[in-house]
């Protein structure tokens, strides 16, 4: 089992030894409740770096709904066992008081790319993400950091953060891992009922159909409207957004040209699912 480190001092001592030996350090930031998607990131880090740290921290600052924070699954013992199979060198699992000690007064906010989509529906969410990610990079002194493309907007926010603040870490986006029926792996999926789980792949199917329609010349508004209707018809309660955006800056695309990203968020069984695909 990899050692579980609780304090920044423990982590820094370990990393200092690695750096002194000339070893490269990779970090995979997570909130725990690990699944194959997270493990794929850890394997990618294992292949690219001499040492690998996986962080497990349910970050209270990125939840704008206290009930959502309370319900977020916490499975540290299972997570550590899964990570042992990948061969990570350390798990950093600090408590909230270690990350945000008494008197903590700094907020990191990334404008532009953080504002639409998730940013519009979850005010303050990306400030919480940017703040904790900046802290984790400082704590781990990582050379490379690995993030899943499933949270595409988050990936774009982190890339902007690193570029703007000259943080010396290379950000690597890793392909979304999906179940056989297309559902993107997510810790939230375990909160779906059996019926909800059976309905959930309708989200990505509607997105794929919209992408195909747009490539075939269908207007963007028509294709998106049909996709939203299909998601609701499949039993989803709400569609927060289903939009075509430019891949990097997430600007609205009125017609398909250049590299686009189709991004969606919809609620099923009271569980908010997000997904995205390239177009």
């Amino acid at each position: 089992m990899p050692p579980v480190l609780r304090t920044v001092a423990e982590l820094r001592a370990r990393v200092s030894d690695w750096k002194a030996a000339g070893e490269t350090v990779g970090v995979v930031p997570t909130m725990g409740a690990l699944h194959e998607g997270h493990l794929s990131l850890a394997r990618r880090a294992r292949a690219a770096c001499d040492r690998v740290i996986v962080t497990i921290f349910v970050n209270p600052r990125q939840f704008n709904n206290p009930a959502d924070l309370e319900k977020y699954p916490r499975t540290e013992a299972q997570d550590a066992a899964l990570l042992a199979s990948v061969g990570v060198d350390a798990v950093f699992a600090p408590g909230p008081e270690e990350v945000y000690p008494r008197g903590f007064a700094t907020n990191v906010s990334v404008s532009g790319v953080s504002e639409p989509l998730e940013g519009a529906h979850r005010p303050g969410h990306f400030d919480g993400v940017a703040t904790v990610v900046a802290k984790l990079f400082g704590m781990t002194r990582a050379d490379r950091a690995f993030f899943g493309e499933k949270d595409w907007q988050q990936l774009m926010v982190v890339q902007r953060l690193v570029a703007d603040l000259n943080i010396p870490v290379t950000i690597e986006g890793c392909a979304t891992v999906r179940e056989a029926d297309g559902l993107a792996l997510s810790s939230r999926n375990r909160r779906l009922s059996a019926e909800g789980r059976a309905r959930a792949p309708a989200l990505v199917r509607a997105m794929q159909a919209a992408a195909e329609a747009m490539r075939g010349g269908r207007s963007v508004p028509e294709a998106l409207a049909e996709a939203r209707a299909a998601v609701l018809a499949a039993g989803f309660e709400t569609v927060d957004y289903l939009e075509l955006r430019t891949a990097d800056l997430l600007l609205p695309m009125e017609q398909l040209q250049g590299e686009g990203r189709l991004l969606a968020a919809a609620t099923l069984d009271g569980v908010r699912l997000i997904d995205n695909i390239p177009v």
Side-chain angles (χ1 to χ4, degrees):
M1 296 282 279
V4 179
L5 311 178
R6 303 289 181 188
T7 68
V8 177
E10 288 178 283
L11 177 66
R12 284 252 171 92
R14 191 79 51 129
V15 171
S16 291
D17 289 344
W18 296 339
K19 294 274 188 177
E23 295 176 316
T24 56
V25 177
V27 66
V28 180
T30 82
M31 294 206 300
L34 303 184
H35 49 65
E36 182 55 36
H38 297 109
L39 297 183
S40 73
L41 301 180
R43 290 190 197 99
R44 176 92 167 259
R46 177 78 283 163
C49 304
D50 298 315
R51 299 289 184 171
V52 177
I53 302 164
V54 173
T55 69
I56 296 176
F57 179 61
V58 182
N59 177 29
R61 288 185 167 233
Q62 67 190 74
F63 287 84
N64 55 326
N65 181 346
D68 208 16
L69 172 62
E70 191 63 33
K71 287 187 289 190
Y72 199 87
R74 291 161 173 82
T75 57
E76 187 184 295
Q78 290 173 249
D79 294 345
L82 287 171
L83 293 172
S85 71
V86 181
V88 307
D89 296 282
V91 175
F92 181 48
E97 66 288 340
E98 183 71 12
V99 178
Y100 303 116
R102 181 180 172 85
F104 186 86
T106 298
N107 183 61
V108 180
S109 184
V110 178
S111 299
V113 73
S114 73
E115 292 166 7
L117 306 170
E118 288 299 288
H121 286 272
R122 301 174 67 187
H125 168 69
F126 283 122
D127 284 7
V129 170
T131 301
V132 79
V133 166
K135 284 186 66 78
L136 290 172
F137 290 162
M139 292 168 171
T140 61
R141 296 173 58 202
D143 299 290
R144 293 175 180 270
F146 299 81
F147 291 84
E149 290 186 356
K150 177 185 165 290
D151 295 293
W152 183 265
Q153 187 173 12
Q154 173 178 276
L155 177 60
M156 296 301 102
V157 168
V158 172
Q159 288 184 342
R160 185 80 266 155
L161 164 76
V162 166
D164 288 356
L165 298 187
N166 302 106
I167 299 175
V169 59
T170 299
I171 304 301
E172 299 208 15
C174 304
T176 301
V177 178
R178 299 182 181 276
E179 300 279 11
D181 59 8
L183 180 65
L185 292 188
S186 170
S187 303
R188 294 173 186 268
N189 292 351
R190 65 183 71 187
R191 288 167 44 196
L192 293 168
S193 67
E195 183 183 355
R197 173 61 188 83
R199 293 172 182 265
L203 178 60
V204 71
R205 285 200 297 267
M207 295 168 69
Q208 290 166 338
E212 195 60 35
M214 287 185 285
R215 290 189 197 103
R218 195 70 180 271
S219 80
V220 169
E222 286 179 348
L224 296 181
E226 287 176 3
R228 291 188 199 101
V231 172
L232 293 172
F236 280 72
E237 290 109 57
T238 60
V239 177
D240 283 353
Y241 57 81
L242 201 163
E243 298 183 21
L244 181 66
R245 297 268 175 161
T246 58
D248 51 357
L249 299 179
L250 299 184
L251 300 173
M253 291 183 78
E254 301 301 327
Q255 54 188 19
L256 187 58
Q257 53 183 20
E259 190 180 352
R261 206 87 189 177
L262 190 56
L263 302 104
T267 302
L268 178 65
D269 275 357
V271 180
R272 193 166 180 277
L273 304 179
I274 68 169
D275 204 345
N276 71 87
I277 59 172
V279 184

